Amino acid sequence: MNVDITTFLNSNLLDKYLIGQTSPDETRKVEDYINKYPEVKSAYDTMQDQLELVAQANAEDAPVHLLGSILETLDDKPVIALNEKTKKSWFNYGVAASVVALLFASASFYFFNQNLKLANENQIVVDELFDLRNDIDNNNSKLESLMEQFAQLNNPETEKYIIKGNKRAKNLKTVAYINPKEKTSMIDVVTLPTLPKEQCYQMWAEMQDKMVNLGILSVTDRRLQKLPYTENATALSITIEPKGGSENISGDTPVAEIELKIND
């Protein structure tokens, strides 16, 4: 169902048309929609059936002897008694009008609730479509990132370095991927031995005269992580630092280190 049909059904035009309260322009519009769209025609037929059902459920059959009683009254009573009958007739008309008004109010309330329910259902569909669109965008973004990483890993210029821990961190294992031509670097943190809560693992790039901080390592999210690319780095090392990391490498010896290939 397209948006135009949904908007039309959510309006009150079909209800007003059913009870004869539409303007000439509105009448033409409703009849055009009924003739043009099967969904609108189906909704209109359903509303007609429901209104007829409500009317039948509340209707009362006239007593069989009513006509005979009226004729007897006309024959037996003087003409002046006609005014009493007239009063009763007007009273009966008032009762009938009240019943019709009650039926109309009941039908209007029913259709209002149906329209409100339909509007809520439409809003749920819109929200679900919005969430689905966000999921698609997120998945596309993740896919693009994976494709970029895959291309980098398969680039012949990318060097692979397996960094293993020493006796102080036997189960430590990380894999670094460095492409000096594209100036990109990534790391796959495979395993890290458990440390006390007040400590963390931190990675460094070794230069000729200093150590450059590359960030804290974690295995909470097992995926390739980008590393800051460091020009002219000669080695990578991992140390144990206080929680939150250090600006400068501690005097403690690294728990893992590896030399990098230097392209002349």
Side-chain angles (χ1 to χ4, degrees):
M1 186 180 297
N2 61 44
V3 176
D4 192 29
I5 295 176
T6 301
T7 302
F8 174 81
L9 291 176
N10 286 337
S11 69
N12 293 325
L13 285 180
L14 204 56
D15 300 349
K16 293 170 62 179
Y17 177 79
L18 190 65
I19 59 175
Q21 296 296 318
T22 52
S23 66
D25 290 339
E26 290 175 335
T27 299
R28 284 192 293 271
K29 180 177 181 179
V30 172
E31 292 176 349
D32 181 61
Y33 269 73
I34 292 175
N35 295 328
K36 187 174 181 181
Y37 300 109
E39 296 92 336
V40 178
K41 177 66 165 60
S42 176
Y44 173 68
D45 291 341
T46 300
M47 292 171 67
Q48 277 190 314
D49 293 340
Q50 291 170 342
L51 186 60
E52 182 178 351
L53 183 62
V54 172
Q56 289 177 353
N58 289 274
E60 294 184 2
D61 295 332
V64 178
H65 61 278
L66 181 61
L67 180 60
S69 298
I70 294 175
L71 293 176
E72 287 181 7
T73 302
L74 290 175
D75 291 338
D76 298 339
K77 298 292 180 179
V79 176
I80 191 172
L82 183 62
N83 290 331
E84 297 296 326
K85 294 179 182 180
T86 303
K87 291 180 180 179
K88 292 181 179 180
S89 297
W90 279 108
F91 175 77
N92 291 335
Y93 288 147
V95 172
S98 299
V99 172
V100 171
L102 180 61
L103 291 177
F104 174 73
S106 299
S108 298
F109 180 73
Y110 171 79
F111 292 130
F112 172 79
N113 285 337
Q114 289 297 101
N115 286 335
L116 185 61
K117 180 180 178 181
L118 180 60
N120 291 335
E121 291 175 351
N122 288 339
Q123 186 60 45
I124 292 175
V125 172
V126 170
D127 292 341
E128 290 178 348
L129 288 175
F130 182 78
D131 293 338
L132 179 60
R133 188 178 296 110
N134 284 340
D135 290 340
I136 292 175
D137 291 339
N138 291 334
N139 289 336
N140 288 338
S141 178
K142 292 179 180 178
L143 181 59
E144 290 177 3
S145 178
L146 289 176
M147 292 299 294
E148 180 182 346
Q149 293 177 356
F150 181 77
Q152 183 174 343
L153 294 180
N154 287 276
N155 190 320
E157 300 291 337
T158 299
E159 298 287 349
K160 178 180 178 180
Y161 299 94
I162 299 177
I163 310 171
K164 295 183 178 180
N166 55 26
K167 294 181 180 180
R168 297 175 56 207
K170 293 181 179 180
N171 295 329
L172 186 151
K173 182 179 179 181
T174 62
V175 183
Y177 300 90
I178 300 177
N179 188 320
K181 184 176 181 180
E182 300 291 337
K183 299 187 184 303
T184 58
S185 58
M186 297 185 301
I187 188 169
D188 179 14
V189 181
V190 182
T191 57
L192 288 177
T194 304
L195 287 174
K197 293 182 179 180
E198 64 273 9
Q199 292 180 326
C200 68
Y201 290 101
Q202 190 167 348
M203 193 162 195
W204 307 84
E206 183 177 342
M207 308 288 289
Q208 290 183 352
D209 57 348
K210 63 179 179 178
M211 301 293 287
V212 179
N213 176 21
L214 298 182
I216 298 173
L217 298 182
S218 173
V219 291
T220 55
D221 189 5
R222 178 65 199 284
R223 63 177 180 179
L224 284 173
Q225 304 172 40
K226 289 186 177 181
L227 279 179
Y229 179 77
T230 307
E231 189 79 34
N232 300 322
T234 60
L236 296 176
S237 61
I238 300 173
T239 62
I240 297 177
E241 304 292 340
K243 183 179 179 180
S246 303
E247 289 297 327
N248 300 305
I249 191 170
S250 64
D252 200 2
T253 56
V255 295
E257 56 186 340
I258 191 171
E259 293 184 359
L260 302 180
K261 296 178 182 180
I262 301 177
N263 295 325
D264 297 330

